[in-house]
């Protein structure tokens, strides 16, 4: 990433090293009125962030660079996880004519953060499915992960009338994951 995510800009600690000091100095500058000057500052920040991804980061900048890379990776993974969860949710609703749990369900943006986490747990189980596991087995396990994260007992899979909808959610999440570039190489 050549632009720092918002979480970095808001909470970047006072890290050691010349690159960290230069970043703080650039961020402390008053916003220039001249668009050319602003663009020069932004380019210098991008050059700093680019250097954090290089293999030959100087020793005095290693802590700053590692923290920047970790922050970017976390940000990308969280957004990717949320996008896959949204895709699963929308796949479920598309299959169920917009109903969830027997009730009309709203769009993703109306789902609370608490209610989104079970969908993220669903997606985590889909992505972590063992090699060779069948689609229905993965969908069942992911649906149980959903219900566990939702603090409710999962309905029986074999008699669940929504089984087809969970399969649709699984397929939507997988399609979205295949369309994505994938997560960064450094862990979740």
């Amino acid at each position: 990433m050549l632009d720092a995510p918002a979480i970095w800009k808001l909470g970047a600690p006072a890290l050691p090293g010349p690159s960290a000091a230069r970043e703080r100095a650039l961020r402390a500058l008053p916003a220039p009125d001249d668009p050319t000057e602003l663009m020069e500052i932004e380019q210098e920040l991008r050059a700093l962030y680019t250097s954090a991804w290089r293999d030959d980061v100087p020793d005095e900048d290693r802590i700053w660079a590692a923290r920047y890379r970790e922050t970017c990776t976390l940000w990308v993974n969280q957004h990717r996880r949320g996008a896959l969860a949204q895709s699963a949710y929308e796949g479920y609703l598309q299959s169920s004519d917009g109903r969830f749990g027997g009730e009309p369900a709203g769009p993703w943006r109306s789902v609370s953060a608490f209610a989104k986490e079970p969908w993220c747990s669903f997606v985590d189980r889909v992505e972590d499915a063992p090699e060779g596991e069948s689609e229905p087995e993965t969908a069942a396990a992911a649906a149980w992960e959903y219900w566990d994260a939702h603090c409710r007992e999962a309905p029986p899979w074999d008699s669940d009338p929504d089984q087809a909808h969970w399969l649709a959610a699984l397929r939507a999440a997988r399609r979205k994951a295949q369309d994505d570039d994938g997560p960064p190489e450094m862990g979740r």
Side-chain angles (χ1 to χ4, degrees):
M1 291 181 66
L2 303 181
D3 289 316
I7 57 175
W8 176 262
K9 293 175 187 177
L10 296 175
L15 296 168
S19 290
R22 183 67 186 140
E23 179 190 10
R24 283 192 298 276
L26 289 169
R27 291 205 173 280
L29 292 173
D33 292 330
D34 182 9
T36 305
E37 288 179 42
L38 179 60
M39 196 165 75
E40 288 171 3
I41 292 170
E42 289 173 352
Q43 286 176 338
E44 192 166 346
L45 281 168
R46 284 189 186 111
L48 275 173
Y49 299 140
T50 300
S51 72
W53 295 98
R54 295 176 49 142
D55 290 333
D56 61 347
V57 173
D59 285 341
E60 60 270 15
D61 281 334
R62 287 201 188 278
I63 294 172
W64 171 83
R67 185 72 59 87
Y68 179 75
R69 290 190 309 265
E70 290 166 4
T71 302
C72 290
T73 301
L74 176 67
W75 185 84
V76 168
N77 283 333
Q78 285 178 336
H79 283 275
R80 180 178 186 275
R81 186 176 183 241
L84 294 178
Q86 178 179 354
S87 182
Y89 175 78
E90 290 170 353
Y92 184 100
L93 293 187
Q94 188 173 28
S95 172
S96 68
D97 293 327
R99 300 182 75 73
F100 185 75
E103 300 292 323
W108 180 255
R109 68 182 175 279
S110 70
V111 176
S112 72
F114 176 76
K116 286 179 182 175
E117 182 54 34
W119 285 103
C120 290
S121 296
F122 176 92
V123 163
D124 291 343
R125 178 54 179 86
V126 168
E127 288 200 303
D128 295 339
E131 188 72 31
E133 184 175 68
S134 72
E135 193 175 67
E137 289 171 328
T138 302
W144 287 326
E145 284 293 325
Y146 172 89
W147 290 109
D148 285 348
H150 207 348
C151 305
R152 294 187 192 163
E153 186 176 333
W157 177 254
D158 292 337
S159 64
D160 183 6
D162 292 335
Q163 185 179 37
H165 309 318
W166 289 111
L167 281 166
L170 175 142
R171 291 175 184 140
R174 284 195 172 153
R175 272 193 309 276
K176 176 70 175 166
Q178 289 171 349
D179 291 344
D180 254 356
D181 292 334
E185 292 179 19
M186 298 185 293
R188 282 188 193 193

